[in-house]
Amino acid sequence: MHTLTAASQAQQDIKKSRFLAVANAVSDAEAAQAFLARHADPTAHHNCWAWRIGQTYRFSDDGEPTGTAGKPILQAIDGQGLDRVAVLVTRWFGGIRLGTGGLVRAYGGTAALCLREGEKAPLRDMVAATLTCLFGDLALLQARIAAQTGVEIQATTFSETGAQWSLAVPQDMAETMARLVSDLTHGRAHLRFDD
């Protein structure tokens, strides 16, 4: 599975109707809804959308005939092997009816075009971890961990002697990260993975 690394956009004019698709990576349902609300155009005739996050997905035809907009957008997401992605296709009606088949092709095709144009990166399974270190090791660890692609420092708390970080580590890097932390600090810092 892959996700988008940046927002993507595509536009098509089909029988005088304008279709504009915008897509981006989203982390959860709330982020997906916020993305859709931010990009929907209240002056357009229809703002149809779909998003997928793991096994959870939603879609909307926004007044178009049932199954002609939201579902084809979702199929475009799935057809390109994408996850954690939201797509909004906005339509400005041009006066010529497209029929159900035409709507399916227009919405699905515009979404697929938008997704094809977007930059993608493989999705990685993440594991939660806690790193405990002394103040003397803090700067070195922070610099080296920040340089690791995919590792996220989510929270930091300080004690009298050092710091504790909550991390998200790509699962395929867990062993490497534990070794790195131990090697850099000669065993003084500890990286513990949460169950």
Short mmCIF file of all heavy atoms in Angstrom, two decimals, residues 115-176:
data_model
loop_
_atom_site.label_atom_id
_atom_site.label_comp_id
_atom_site.label_asym_id
_atom_site.label_seq_id
_atom_site.Cartn_x
_atom_site.Cartn_y
_atom_site.Cartn_z
N LEU A 115 -5.01 11.26 -8.66
CA LEU A 115 -4.18 10.35 -7.87
C LEU A 115 -2.94 9.91 -8.64
O LEU A 115 -1.86 9.75 -8.06
CB LEU A 115 -4.99 9.15 -7.41
CG LEU A 115 -6.09 9.49 -6.40
CD1 LEU A 115 -7.02 8.30 -6.19
CD2 LEU A 115 -5.51 9.98 -5.08
N ARG A 116 -3.07 9.71 -9.95
CA ARG A 116 -1.91 9.34 -10.77
C ARG A 116 -0.86 10.45 -10.76
O ARG A 116 0.34 10.19 -10.81
CB ARG A 116 -2.32 9.03 -12.21
CG ARG A 116 -2.76 7.61 -12.42
CD ARG A 116 -2.83 7.26 -13.90
NE ARG A 116 -3.70 8.12 -14.69
CZ ARG A 116 -5.01 7.97 -14.82
NH1 ARG A 116 -5.63 6.96 -14.21
NH2 ARG A 116 -5.71 8.79 -15.57
N GLU A 117 -1.32 11.71 -10.74
CA GLU A 117 -0.42 12.86 -10.77
C GLU A 117 0.32 13.03 -9.43
O GLU A 117 1.37 13.66 -9.40
CB GLU A 117 -1.20 14.14 -11.07
CG GLU A 117 -1.91 14.15 -12.40
CD GLU A 117 -0.96 14.26 -13.57
OE1 GLU A 117 0.02 15.02 -13.47
OE2 GLU A 117 -1.18 13.57 -14.57
N GLY A 118 -0.25 12.52 -8.34
CA GLY A 118 0.32 12.75 -7.02
C GLY A 118 1.57 11.94 -6.74
O GLY A 118 1.74 10.84 -7.25
N GLU A 119 2.45 12.51 -5.93
CA GLU A 119 3.64 11.79 -5.48
C GLU A 119 3.23 10.82 -4.38
O GLU A 119 2.47 11.17 -3.49
CB GLU A 119 4.68 12.77 -4.93
CG GLU A 119 5.30 13.64 -6.00
CD GLU A 119 6.37 14.55 -5.42
OE1 GLU A 119 7.05 14.14 -4.46
OE2 GLU A 119 6.50 15.67 -5.95
N LYS A 120 3.78 9.60 -4.46
CA LYS A 120 3.38 8.55 -3.52
C LYS A 120 4.59 8.02 -2.77
O LYS A 120 5.72 8.10 -3.25
CB LYS A 120 2.70 7.42 -4.27
CG LYS A 120 1.43 7.85 -4.98
CD LYS A 120 0.93 6.78 -5.93
CE LYS A 120 -0.18 7.29 -6.79
NZ LYS A 120 0.25 8.15 -7.87
N ALA A 121 4.31 7.46 -1.60
CA ALA A 121 5.35 6.81 -0.80
C ALA A 121 4.73 5.56 -0.18
O ALA A 121 3.53 5.54 0.11
CB ALA A 121 5.85 7.74 0.30
N PRO A 122 5.53 4.53 0.03
CA PRO A 122 4.99 3.32 0.66
C PRO A 122 4.56 3.61 2.09
O PRO A 122 5.19 4.39 2.80
CB PRO A 122 6.15 2.32 0.63
CG PRO A 122 7.32 3.01 0.05
CD PRO A 122 6.93 4.41 -0.32
N LEU A 123 3.47 2.98 2.49
CA LEU A 123 3.01 3.07 3.88
C LEU A 123 3.79 2.07 4.70
O LEU A 123 4.05 0.95 4.27
CB LEU A 123 1.52 2.72 3.98
CG LEU A 123 0.57 3.87 3.78
CD1 LEU A 123 -0.86 3.36 3.77
CD2 LEU A 123 0.72 4.93 4.84
N ARG A 124 4.13 2.47 5.90
CA ARG A 124 4.87 1.58 6.78
C ARG A 124 4.07 1.41 8.07
O ARG A 124 3.52 2.37 8.59
CB ARG A 124 6.23 2.18 7.10
CG ARG A 124 7.08 2.36 5.85
CD ARG A 124 8.24 3.25 6.09
NE ARG A 124 9.44 2.49 6.44
CZ ARG A 124 10.60 3.04 6.68
NH1 ARG A 124 10.75 4.34 6.62
NH2 ARG A 124 11.64 2.30 6.97
N ASP A 125 4.05 0.18 8.58
CA ASP A 125 3.42 -0.07 9.87
C ASP A 125 4.30 0.54 10.95
O ASP A 125 5.53 0.37 10.94
CB ASP A 125 3.27 -1.57 10.12
CG ASP A 125 2.20 -2.18 9.23
OD1 ASP A 125 1.23 -1.46 8.90
OD2 ASP A 125 2.32 -3.36 8.88
N MET A 126 3.68 1.26 11.86
CA MET A 126 4.41 1.94 12.92
C MET A 126 4.20 1.24 14.26
O MET A 126 3.15 0.64 14.49
CB MET A 126 3.94 3.39 13.04
CG MET A 126 4.05 4.20 11.76
SD MET A 126 5.72 4.48 11.19
CE MET A 126 6.15 5.91 12.15
N VAL A 127 5.21 1.31 15.11
CA VAL A 127 5.10 0.80 16.48
C VAL A 127 5.42 1.95 17.43
O VAL A 127 6.26 2.80 17.14
CB VAL A 127 6.03 -0.41 16.74
CG1 VAL A 127 5.59 -1.62 15.95
CG2 VAL A 127 7.47 -0.08 16.42
N ALA A 128 4.72 1.97 18.55
CA ALA A 128 4.95 2.99 19.57
C ALA A 128 6.15 2.58 20.41
O ALA A 128 6.34 1.40 20.71
CB ALA A 128 3.72 3.15 20.45
N ALA A 129 6.96 3.56 20.79
CA ALA A 129 8.16 3.29 21.60
C ALA A 129 8.37 4.42 22.59
O ALA A 129 7.90 5.54 22.38
CB ALA A 129 9.38 3.14 20.70
N THR A 130 9.07 4.10 23.66
CA THR A 130 9.45 5.09 24.66
C THR A 130 10.97 5.07 24.78
O THR A 130 11.56 4.02 24.99
CB THR A 130 8.80 4.78 26.02
OG1 THR A 130 7.38 4.71 25.84
CG2 THR A 130 9.13 5.84 27.05
N LEU A 131 11.58 6.22 24.65
CA LEU A 131 13.03 6.36 24.77
C LEU A 131 13.33 7.14 26.04
O LEU A 131 12.81 8.24 26.24
CB LEU A 131 13.59 7.11 23.56
CG LEU A 131 15.06 7.50 23.61
CD1 LEU A 131 15.94 6.26 23.63
CD2 LEU A 131 15.42 8.38 22.45
N THR A 132 14.16 6.58 26.90
CA THR A 132 14.58 7.24 28.13
C THR A 132 16.07 7.49 28.04
O THR A 132 16.84 6.56 27.76
CB THR A 132 14.26 6.36 29.35
OG1 THR A 132 12.87 6.01 29.31
CG2 THR A 132 14.56 7.07 30.65
N CYS A 133 16.49 8.75 28.28
CA CYS A 133 17.92 9.08 28.18
C CYS A 133 18.31 10.13 29.22
O CYS A 133 17.45 10.83 29.77
CB CYS A 133 18.28 9.57 26.79
SG CYS A 133 17.62 11.18 26.37
N LEU A 134 19.60 10.25 29.45
CA LEU A 134 20.16 11.26 30.34
C LEU A 134 20.35 12.56 29.56
O LEU A 134 20.48 12.55 28.33
CB LEU A 134 21.50 10.78 30.90
CG LEU A 134 21.46 9.49 31.72
CD1 LEU A 134 22.87 9.02 32.05
CD2 LEU A 134 20.64 9.70 32.99
N PHE A 135 20.44 13.69 30.29
CA PHE A 135 20.62 14.98 29.62
C PHE A 135 21.88 14.99 28.76
O PHE A 135 21.90 15.60 27.69
CB PHE A 135 20.69 16.12 30.64
CG PHE A 135 19.34 16.57 31.12
CD1 PHE A 135 19.03 16.56 32.46
CD2 PHE A 135 18.38 17.01 30.22
CE1 PHE A 135 17.79 16.98 32.91
CE2 PHE A 135 17.12 17.43 30.65
CZ PHE A 135 16.84 17.41 32.00
N GLY A 136 22.95 14.33 29.19
CA GLY A 136 24.20 14.31 28.45
C GLY A 136 24.08 13.68 27.07
O GLY A 136 24.86 13.98 26.18
N ASP A 137 23.09 12.81 26.88
CA ASP A 137 22.89 12.13 25.60
C ASP A 137 21.78 12.76 24.76
O ASP A 137 21.58 12.38 23.61
CB ASP A 137 22.54 10.66 25.84
CG ASP A 137 23.65 9.91 26.54
OD1 ASP A 137 24.83 10.11 26.15
OD2 ASP A 137 23.36 9.13 27.47
N LEU A 138 21.11 13.72 25.32
CA LEU A 138 19.90 14.28 24.70
C LEU A 138 20.16 14.88 23.31
O LEU A 138 19.49 14.53 22.35
CB LEU A 138 19.28 15.32 25.64
CG LEU A 138 17.93 15.89 25.23
CD1 LEU A 138 16.88 14.79 25.22
CD2 LEU A 138 17.52 16.98 26.21
N ALA A 139 21.14 15.78 23.19
CA ALA A 139 21.37 16.48 21.91
C ALA A 139 21.77 15.50 20.80
O ALA A 139 21.26 15.57 19.68
CB ALA A 139 22.43 17.55 22.08
N LEU A 140 22.68 14.59 21.11
CA LEU A 140 23.12 13.62 20.12
C LEU A 140 21.97 12.73 19.66
O LEU A 140 21.76 12.53 18.46
CB LEU A 140 24.25 12.75 20.70
CG LEU A 140 24.74 11.61 19.79
CD1 LEU A 140 25.33 12.16 18.51
CD2 LEU A 140 25.75 10.76 20.54
N LEU A 141 21.20 12.22 20.61
CA LEU A 141 20.07 11.36 20.25
C LEU A 141 19.03 12.11 19.43
O LEU A 141 18.50 11.58 18.45
CB LEU A 141 19.43 10.76 21.51
CG LEU A 141 20.16 9.59 22.12
CD1 LEU A 141 19.54 9.22 23.46
CD2 LEU A 141 20.16 8.40 21.19
N GLN A 142 18.74 13.33 19.85
CA GLN A 142 17.72 14.11 19.13
C GLN A 142 18.15 14.34 17.68
O GLN A 142 17.34 14.18 16.76
CB GLN A 142 17.49 15.44 19.83
CG GLN A 142 16.29 16.18 19.29
CD GLN A 142 15.88 17.34 20.18
OE1 GLN A 142 16.62 17.76 21.07
NE2 GLN A 142 14.72 17.88 19.93
N ALA A 143 19.41 14.67 17.46
CA ALA A 143 19.91 14.90 16.10
C ALA A 143 19.86 13.63 15.27
O ALA A 143 19.42 13.64 14.11
CB ALA A 143 21.33 15.45 16.14
N ARG A 144 20.29 12.53 15.83
CA ARG A 144 20.34 11.27 15.07
C ARG A 144 18.95 10.71 14.81
O ARG A 144 18.68 10.17 13.74
CB ARG A 144 21.20 10.24 15.81
CG ARG A 144 22.67 10.58 15.84
CD ARG A 144 23.30 10.66 14.44
NE ARG A 144 23.36 9.41 13.74
CZ ARG A 144 24.33 8.53 13.84
NH1 ARG A 144 25.38 8.79 14.58
NH2 ARG A 144 24.27 7.40 13.18
N ILE A 145 18.05 10.83 15.79
CA ILE A 145 16.69 10.31 15.60
C ILE A 145 15.94 11.16 14.58
O ILE A 145 15.22 10.64 13.73
CB ILE A 145 15.94 10.20 16.94
CG1 ILE A 145 16.55 9.05 17.74
CG2 ILE A 145 14.45 10.01 16.73
CD1 ILE A 145 16.05 8.94 19.15
N ALA A 146 16.12 12.47 14.64
CA ALA A 146 15.46 13.36 13.67
C ALA A 146 15.92 13.06 12.24
O ALA A 146 15.18 13.29 11.29
CB ALA A 146 15.73 14.81 14.02
N ALA A 147 17.12 12.53 12.09
CA ALA A 147 17.66 12.22 10.76
C ALA A 147 17.15 10.88 10.22
O ALA A 147 17.35 10.58 9.04
CB ALA A 147 19.19 12.19 10.81
N GLN A 148 16.46 10.09 11.03
CA GLN A 148 15.96 8.79 10.60
C GLN A 148 14.63 8.97 9.87
O GLN A 148 13.66 9.44 10.46
CB GLN A 148 15.77 7.85 11.80
CG GLN A 148 17.03 7.60 12.59
CD GLN A 148 18.10 6.93 11.76
OE1 GLN A 148 17.86 5.96 11.06
NE2 GLN A 148 19.31 7.47 11.84
N THR A 149 14.56 8.60 8.62
CA THR A 149 13.35 8.75 7.82
C THR A 149 12.23 7.89 8.38
O THR A 149 12.41 6.69 8.59
CB THR A 149 13.62 8.34 6.36
OG1 THR A 149 14.68 9.14 5.87
CG2 THR A 149 12.38 8.54 5.50
N GLY A 150 11.09 8.52 8.65
CA GLY A 150 9.92 7.79 9.12
C GLY A 150 9.74 7.77 10.62
O GLY A 150 8.65 7.47 11.11
N VAL A 151 10.77 8.08 11.40
CA VAL A 151 10.65 8.09 12.86
C VAL A 151 10.06 9.42 13.30
O VAL A 151 10.51 10.48 12.87
CB VAL A 151 12.01 7.85 13.54
CG1 VAL A 151 11.89 7.93 15.06
CG2 VAL A 151 12.59 6.51 13.12
N GLU A 152 9.04 9.38 14.15
CA GLU A 152 8.37 10.59 14.62
C GLU A 152 8.53 10.74 16.13
O GLU A 152 8.23 9.81 16.87
CB GLU A 152 6.87 10.53 14.30
CG GLU A 152 6.57 10.37 12.83
CD GLU A 152 5.10 10.05 12.58
OE1 GLU A 152 4.29 10.18 13.53
OE2 GLU A 152 4.78 9.65 11.46
N ILE A 153 9.02 11.89 16.56
CA ILE A 153 9.05 12.22 18.00
C ILE A 153 7.70 12.86 18.30
O ILE A 153 7.40 13.95 17.80
CB ILE A 153 10.21 13.17 18.34
CG1 ILE A 153 11.55 12.53 17.99
CG2 ILE A 153 10.15 13.55 19.82
CD1 ILE A 153 12.75 13.45 18.15
N GLN A 154 6.87 12.19 19.10
CA GLN A 154 5.51 12.66 19.33
C GLN A 154 5.35 13.49 20.58
O GLN A 154 4.51 14.37 20.64
CB GLN A 154 4.56 11.46 19.35
CG GLN A 154 4.56 10.74 18.02
CD GLN A 154 3.67 9.52 18.01
OE1 GLN A 154 3.55 8.82 19.01
NE2 GLN A 154 3.07 9.25 16.86
N ALA A 155 6.13 13.20 21.62
CA ALA A 155 6.03 13.96 22.88
C ALA A 155 7.33 13.81 23.64
O ALA A 155 8.01 12.79 23.54
CB ALA A 155 4.87 13.46 23.72
N THR A 156 7.67 14.84 24.41
CA THR A 156 8.87 14.81 25.24
C THR A 156 8.51 15.27 26.64
O THR A 156 7.81 16.28 26.80
CB THR A 156 9.95 15.76 24.67
OG1 THR A 156 10.21 15.42 23.32
CG2 THR A 156 11.23 15.68 25.47
N THR A 157 8.97 14.53 27.64
CA THR A 157 8.82 14.95 29.03
C THR A 157 10.20 14.92 29.67
O THR A 157 11.04 14.10 29.32
CB THR A 157 7.86 14.05 29.83
OG1 THR A 157 8.32 12.70 29.73
CG2 THR A 157 6.44 14.13 29.29
N PHE A 158 10.42 15.85 30.62
CA PHE A 158 11.72 15.95 31.27
C PHE A 158 11.62 15.56 32.72
O PHE A 158 10.61 15.80 33.38
CB PHE A 158 12.26 17.38 31.14
CG PHE A 158 12.53 17.77 29.71
CD1 PHE A 158 11.62 18.52 28.99
CD2 PHE A 158 13.71 17.38 29.09
CE1 PHE A 158 11.86 18.87 27.67
CE2 PHE A 158 13.97 17.73 27.78
CZ PHE A 158 13.04 18.48 27.07
N SER A 159 12.70 14.96 33.21
CA SER A 159 12.82 14.62 34.64
C SER A 159 14.03 15.37 35.18
O SER A 159 14.64 16.17 34.47
CB SER A 159 12.99 13.11 34.80
OG SER A 159 14.25 12.71 34.27
N GLU A 160 14.41 15.08 36.41
CA GLU A 160 15.57 15.74 37.00
C GLU A 160 16.87 15.33 36.33
O GLU A 160 17.85 16.08 36.32
CB GLU A 160 15.65 15.44 38.50
CG GLU A 160 14.54 16.07 39.30
CD GLU A 160 14.63 15.73 40.77
OE1 GLU A 160 15.68 15.21 41.21
OE2 GLU A 160 13.65 16.00 41.47
N THR A 161 16.90 14.14 35.75
CA THR A 161 18.15 13.61 35.20
C THR A 161 18.19 13.53 33.67
O THR A 161 19.25 13.33 33.09
CB THR A 161 18.43 12.20 35.75
OG1 THR A 161 17.33 11.36 35.42
CG2 THR A 161 18.63 12.24 37.26
N GLY A 162 17.04 13.64 33.03
CA GLY A 162 17.04 13.48 31.59
C GLY A 162 15.68 13.69 30.96
O GLY A 162 14.88 14.49 31.43
N ALA A 163 15.42 12.91 29.91
CA ALA A 163 14.19 13.08 29.14
C ALA A 163 13.60 11.72 28.78
O ALA A 163 14.29 10.70 28.76
CB ALA A 163 14.45 13.87 27.87
N GLN A 164 12.31 11.77 28.49
CA GLN A 164 11.61 10.58 28.00
C GLN A 164 10.80 11.02 26.79
O GLN A 164 10.05 12.00 26.85
CB GLN A 164 10.69 10.02 29.08
CG GLN A 164 10.05 8.72 28.68
CD GLN A 164 9.28 8.10 29.84
OE1 GLN A 164 8.92 8.77 30.80
NE2 GLN A 164 9.02 6.83 29.72
N TRP A 165 10.99 10.31 25.66
CA TRP A 165 10.28 10.63 24.43
C TRP A 165 9.31 9.52 24.09
O TRP A 165 9.61 8.34 24.23
CB TRP A 165 11.25 10.73 23.25
CG TRP A 165 12.19 11.88 23.29
CD1 TRP A 165 12.01 13.07 23.90
CD2 TRP A 165 13.48 11.92 22.68
NE1 TRP A 165 13.10 13.86 23.71
CE2 TRP A 165 14.02 13.18 22.96
CE3 TRP A 165 14.22 11.03 21.94
CZ2 TRP A 165 15.26 13.58 22.51
CZ3 TRP A 165 15.46 11.42 21.48
CH2 TRP A 165 15.97 12.67 21.77
N SER A 166 8.16 9.94 23.58
CA SER A 166 7.24 9.00 22.96
C SER A 166 7.51 9.06 21.47
O SER A 166 7.48 10.14 20.88
CB SER A 166 5.79 9.39 23.25
OG SER A 166 5.53 9.30 24.62
N LEU A 167 7.80 7.91 20.87
CA LEU A 167 8.15 7.85 19.46
C LEU A 167 7.18 6.95 18.69
O LEU A 167 6.58 6.05 19.27
CB LEU A 167 9.56 7.26 19.28
CG LEU A 167 10.73 7.92 19.99
CD1 LEU A 167 11.98 7.08 19.81
CD2 LEU A 167 10.95 9.31 19.45
N ALA A 168 7.09 7.19 17.41
CA ALA A 168 6.46 6.25 16.47
C ALA A 168 7.58 5.83 15.53
O ALA A 168 8.21 6.67 14.88
CB ALA A 168 5.32 6.90 15.73
N VAL A 169 7.86 4.53 15.48
CA VAL A 169 8.97 3.99 14.71
C VAL A 169 8.42 3.01 13.67
O VAL A 169 7.60 2.15 14.00
CB VAL A 169 9.96 3.25 15.65
CG1 VAL A 169 11.11 2.64 14.86
CG2 VAL A 169 10.49 4.19 16.73
N PRO A 170 8.87 3.13 12.41
CA PRO A 170 8.45 2.13 11.43
C PRO A 170 8.84 0.73 11.93
O PRO A 170 9.95 0.53 12.42
CB PRO A 170 9.23 2.50 10.16
CG PRO A 170 9.51 3.97 10.32
CD PRO A 170 9.71 4.16 11.80
N GLN A 171 7.91 -0.20 11.84
CA GLN A 171 8.12 -1.53 12.37
C GLN A 171 9.38 -2.19 11.81
O GLN A 171 10.12 -2.85 12.53
CB GLN A 171 6.89 -2.40 12.10
CG GLN A 171 6.90 -3.71 12.83
CD GLN A 171 5.55 -4.40 12.75
OE1 GLN A 171 4.71 -4.05 11.92
NE2 GLN A 171 5.34 -5.36 13.61
N ASP A 172 9.65 -1.95 10.54
CA ASP A 172 10.83 -2.57 9.94
C ASP A 172 12.15 -1.93 10.39
O ASP A 172 13.22 -2.43 10.07
CB ASP A 172 10.73 -2.57 8.41
CG ASP A 172 10.60 -1.18 7.81
OD1 ASP A 172 10.33 -0.22 8.56
OD2 ASP A 172 10.77 -1.04 6.59
N MET A 173 12.07 -0.84 11.16
CA MET A 173 13.27 -0.17 11.68
C MET A 173 13.45 -0.37 13.18
O MET A 173 14.40 0.16 13.75
CB MET A 173 13.19 1.34 11.40
CG MET A 173 13.35 1.73 9.96
SD MET A 173 13.23 3.54 9.74
CE MET A 173 14.62 4.12 10.70
N ALA A 174 12.54 -1.08 13.83
CA ALA A 174 12.56 -1.18 15.29
C ALA A 174 13.89 -1.71 15.82
O ALA A 174 14.50 -1.11 16.71
CB ALA A 174 11.40 -2.05 15.77
N GLU A 175 14.35 -2.80 15.27
CA GLU A 175 15.60 -3.40 15.75
C GLU A 175 16.79 -2.48 15.50
O GLU A 175 17.65 -2.29 16.36
CB GLU A 175 15.83 -4.74 15.01
CG GLU A 175 16.53 -5.78 15.84
CD GLU A 175 16.54 -7.11 15.10
OE1 GLU A 175 15.48 -7.75 15.06
OE2 GLU A 175 17.62 -7.46 14.60
N THR A 176 16.83 -1.86 14.34
CA THR A 176 17.91 -0.93 13.99
C THR A 176 17.92 0.26 14.93
O THR A 176 18.98 0.71 15.39
CB THR A 176 17.74 -0.44 12.53
OG1 THR A 176 17.69 -1.58 11.68
CG2 THR A 176 18.85 0.48 12.11
#
